[in-house]
Amino acid sequence: MGAQMNDKLPDVTYWLALQIAKHEHVIDLDSAYQGSAELDVLYQLLTSKAQLYWWRNYGIELSPVMVNNAFFRAVAMLHERRLEFSRSRHSADTGWVKELLHL
């Protein structure tokens, strides 16, 4: 049996964030805490896919707790990135760029 590595949380989080970002719909963190069927399906698919990926490619058995933590950290990271992008896009600091591009 492969090694179980708990120090892989950042790597698995990043990998899951990339997988989540591939989907057309952005996950809203607020709905994640309230629960949704879409999030449940995505969770089941991606956590299973992550465990299989890490086992096949690295011989590492990821614990379900670690994969769970990585999944929700990835969701939070993407949500924060989207919020920050939205804030910066509508701030006064970007007004001159919009004028320059005639937007």
Side-chain angles (χ1 to χ4, degrees):
M1 190 174 277
Q4 187 173 7
M5 305 288 285
N6 289 330
D7 62 339
K8 294 294 180 192
L9 181 61
D11 296 331
V12 177
T13 300
Y14 180 73
W15 186 87
L16 284 166
L18 290 176
Q19 299 302 310
I20 293 168
K22 288 180 184 178
H23 290 275
E24 294 176 8
H25 305 289
V26 176
I27 296 173
D28 182 17
L29 188 60
D30 295 331
S31 69
Y33 288 113
Q34 295 172 4
S36 70
E38 181 183 68
L39 183 70
D40 291 344
V41 170
L42 188 62
Y43 173 85
Q44 290 298 323
L45 289 174
L46 288 182
T47 55
S48 297
K49 188 176 177 180
Q51 288 176 317
L52 184 61
Y53 175 83
W54 287 85
W55 178 253
R56 283 186 178 169
N57 290 303
Y58 305 111
I60 297 173
E61 182 179 357
L62 301 175
S63 74
V65 172
M66 199 267 289
V67 176
N68 179 65
N69 289 343
F71 178 82
F72 285 103
R73 285 176 184 233
V75 169
M77 183 175 68
L78 292 173
H79 179 71
E80 285 296 318
R81 186 181 76 179
R82 187 173 56 100
L83 286 177
E84 191 59 37
F85 176 76
S86 179
R87 280 187 213 123
S88 68
R89 186 168 189 158
H90 300 296
S91 73
D93 295 337
T94 58
W96 68 273
V97 175
K98 290 178 183 176
E99 288 177 15
L100 180 66
L101 298 175
H102 306 290
L103 296 177

